[in-house]
Amino acid sequence: QLQLVESGGGLVQPGGSLRLSCAASDLTLDGYAIGWFRQAPGKEREGVSCISNIDGKTSFADSVKGRFTISRDNAKNTVSLQMNSLKPEDTAVYYCSAEWIGFKAVQSRCVMTAQGYTYWGQGIQVTVSS
């Protein structure tokens, strides 16, 4: 059973940066597509970014394009979400998610819908406020 743990959240002023990390306990993240989602109070969970299982294809929500980047560190078995130029509307609980896809090139993909992921972390709070 893949277990995911998010870290790096907290309080930051508008315009600031945070780096979220998603780590897996016991199992490698190789072969998994990884997604980052967020949920603000009173709102539905929305996709923020994802990275494919083997070739590093990425996708971003329009609201974060140009400000957020996503990357894998295979040596550390983590996936990071670098968030720059943060805005108050980025305030939410952020979740890391994973879905097993495999290692075949033709299967390389990631999706920005929550239904596409089986494994989820507990979430971490990000608050952007002055």
Side-chain angles (χ1 to χ4, degrees), residues 24-69:
S25 58
D26 299 331
L27 298 176
T28 177
L29 290 176
D30 292 350
Y32 286 85
I34 305 297
W36 281 98
F37 292 78
R38 66 187 181 186
Q39 189 165 17
K43 295 187 177 181
E44 293 187 356
R45 191 170 298 190
E46 64 171 347
V48 175
S49 181
C50 69
I51 187 165
S52 66
N53 44 312
I54 58 172
D55 60 3
K57 294 178 183 176
T58 59
S59 292
F60 296 90
D62 288 342
S63 59
V64 306
K65 281 181 181 177
R67 300 188 297 122
F68 290 13
T69 59

